[in-house]
Amino acid sequence: MRAPTVTPKRQRIAAQAARDPDRVFTTLAHLIDVDFLREAYRPTSKTSAPGIDGVTAQQYAEPLDEHLHDLHERRRSGRYQAMPVEGVWIEQEEGKQRPIGTPTFEDKSVQRAVAMRLEAIDEQDFADSSYGFRRGRSPHDALDELRERCMRDNIGWIVDAEVRGYCDSIDRIRLREVLRQRVNDGSILRLIGKWLRAGVMEEGRVSHPETGVVQGGVISPVLAHIFLHHVLDAWFEQEGQPRRQGRGFLMRCADDCVIGGALQADAHRIMAVLPKRCARYGLTMHPTKTAFMAFSKPETPQGSTEGNGTCDFLGLTHYWTRSRRGDWVIKRRTAQKRLRRTKKSLWRWCRQNRHTPLQYQYQQ
């Protein structure tokens, strides 16, 4: 009898999680066999930079079966060890920098396998209002949904919230507690612990942060999404939404969150409780990127968006204006901060390459 393929196994786990929202899965590690590692290997990026071991995807694939069997045996016997990620810094707006880590290709493959198991279970619990790092969903969907909800529910007030240094500030003890609500497999949790404790190598030195998940790892977005779902999405649906007197919604893409309300009192109440909720889990709201604002149709002349009626979400400024038919609609344009950052990046590139041949500059 032919053994079932890997994909139906994932479908069965997802179906079990959907049927029983309170079920805790305690035996998942044995399902990560050689065939599943091979399935996790396929979607793993083959063009990204190698980690500190210098092994590329092409080198790992020669021979692939031997590497996967050896990896499976080391994982099953507990001899698998995660290597530190190679840390780099990328520039953000206002001269700030954000750390990004590059794991080794083998670590990426194992992380992908565990992430696929976690997603099959936790995807059944995720709210419809979250769009970041989910299969079949994108930031474009979040932008369209924001526009439709604001116009349909007559939203007049917006809480624009963002967690400060979210991935770097996640409390790992609380993260394990949240994971155990659905997955309490010791082998899986030990693997996640190895990746969290592996450290970051910068300029030949390895540091070991005590909090957070390393941005750039395959498993990191999944862990961050599960944690923030528990902190914000589930809390809003179970506690925040029933206490509202008017219509409202919470929409989140990664750590960028927008909470809309038709009544000012509801939005004020959320704005007051939100920092306390995040502080309970060791998170802090960003002081300059978290704001309470009016988002009703502006009373200013047609076409003006000054003052009332604008908010920023996912790098775009959303504002009320008149359509060609004269109706009030919501449109969007590139946010000023994002536009300035792009112009500054172009200016810096032109300055650094001003002496290169014109043909090269033109092609770039």
Side-chain angles (χ1 to χ4, degrees), residues 162-174:
E162 183 173 335
V163 180
R164 186 173 189 175
Y166 173 56
C167 287
D168 299 329
S169 59
I170 294 178
D171 189 306
R172 296 175 180 176
I173 296 178
R174 290 185 172 90

Side-chain angles (χ1 to χ4, degrees), residues 154-157 293-299 308-310 320:
N154 196 26
I155 299 300
W157 303 90
M293 65 195 72
F295 194 62
S296 56
K297 302 177 182 65
E299 301 297 332
N308 190 17
T310 67
W320 285 96

Side-chain angles (χ1 to χ4, degrees), residues 4 13 45 57 59 90 107 148 180 239 249 262 285 338 352:
I13 292 177
S45 175
Q59 293 172 338
I90 61 175
D107 287 342
E148 295 300 322
R180 283 174 174 167
E239 299 184 24
F249 64 84
M285 304 304 300
R338 187 65 60 89
Q352 294 174 349

Side-chain angles (χ1 to χ4, degrees), residues 77-122:
S77 62
R79 293 182 291 110
Y80 165 79
Q81 295 296 327
M83 300 187 69
V85 301
E86 185 174 3
V88 297
W89 294 81
I90 61 175
E91 186 174 351
Q92 291 185 297
E93 66 271 8
E94 301 176 358
K96 298 180 180 178
Q97 291 183 323
R98 181 164 60 97
I100 293 291
T102 304
T104 64
F105 184 81
E106 182 175 78
D107 287 342
K108 289 179 185 178
S109 299
V110 188
Q111 289 183 21
R112 177 76 64 184
V114 174
M116 290 164 64
R117 288 302 184 203
L118 294 179
E119 287 175 340
I121 298 171
D122 290 283

Side-chain angles (χ1 to χ4, degrees), residues 353-362:
N353 294 271
R354 64 186 182 275
H355 298 305
T356 58
L358 289 179
Q359 183 178 4
Y360 170 78
Q361 295 186 42
Y362 174 75

Side-chain angles (χ1 to χ4, degrees), residues 67-225:
H67 284 132
L68 293 181
H69 279 85
D70 177 66
L71 174 60
H72 172 61
E73 288 300 323
R74 285 186 285 119
R75 186 207 61 79
R76 190 169 60 90
S77 62
R79 293 182 291 110
Y80 165 79
Q81 295 296 327
M83 300 187 69
V85 301
E86 185 174 3
V88 297
W89 294 81
I90 61 175
E91 186 174 351
Q92 291 185 297
E93 66 271 8
E94 301 176 358
K96 298 180 180 178
Q97 291 183 323
R98 181 164 60 97
I100 293 291
T102 304
T104 64
F105 184 81
E106 182 175 78
D107 287 342
K108 289 179 185 178
S109 299
V110 188
Q111 289 183 21
R112 177 76 64 184
V114 174
M116 290 164 64
R117 288 302 184 203
L118 294 179
E119 287 175 340
I121 298 171
D122 290 283
E123 179 66 28
Q124 316 309 316
D125 303 331
F126 290 156
D128 292 336
S129 57
S130 62
Y131 289 86
F133 306 112
R134 295 182 63 183
R135 190 184 303 273
R137 288 170 170 254
S138 70
H140 296 285
D141 298 327
L143 293 171
D144 294 338
E145 183 66 14
L146 175 65
R147 180 179 184 273
E148 295 300 322
R149 291 295 299 271
C150 287
M151 296 179 61
R152 183 185 66 199
D153 297 342
N154 196 26
I155 299 300
W157 303 90
I158 289 288
V159 176
D160 187 1
E162 183 173 335
V163 180
R164 186 173 189 175
Y166 173 56
C167 287
D168 299 329
S169 59
I170 294 178
D171 189 306
R172 296 175 180 176
I173 296 178
R174 290 185 172 90
L175 174 61
R176 291 175 66 91
E177 294 174 355
V178 171
L179 291 174
R180 283 174 174 167
Q181 294 182 9
R182 273 304 227 169
V183 177
N184 196 16
D185 186 317
S187 298
I188 297 293
L189 296 177
R190 281 191 293 272
L191 277 176
I192 295 175
K194 289 181 180 181
W195 295 321
L196 295 178
R197 296 189 301 268
V200 180
M201 176 175 288
E202 296 179 277
E203 299 180 352
R205 300 182 61 181
V206 179
S207 60
H208 297 273
E210 297 181 357
T211 61
V213 295
V214 177
Q215 299 184 62
V218 177
I219 194 69
S220 300
V222 179
L223 298 179
H225 189 53

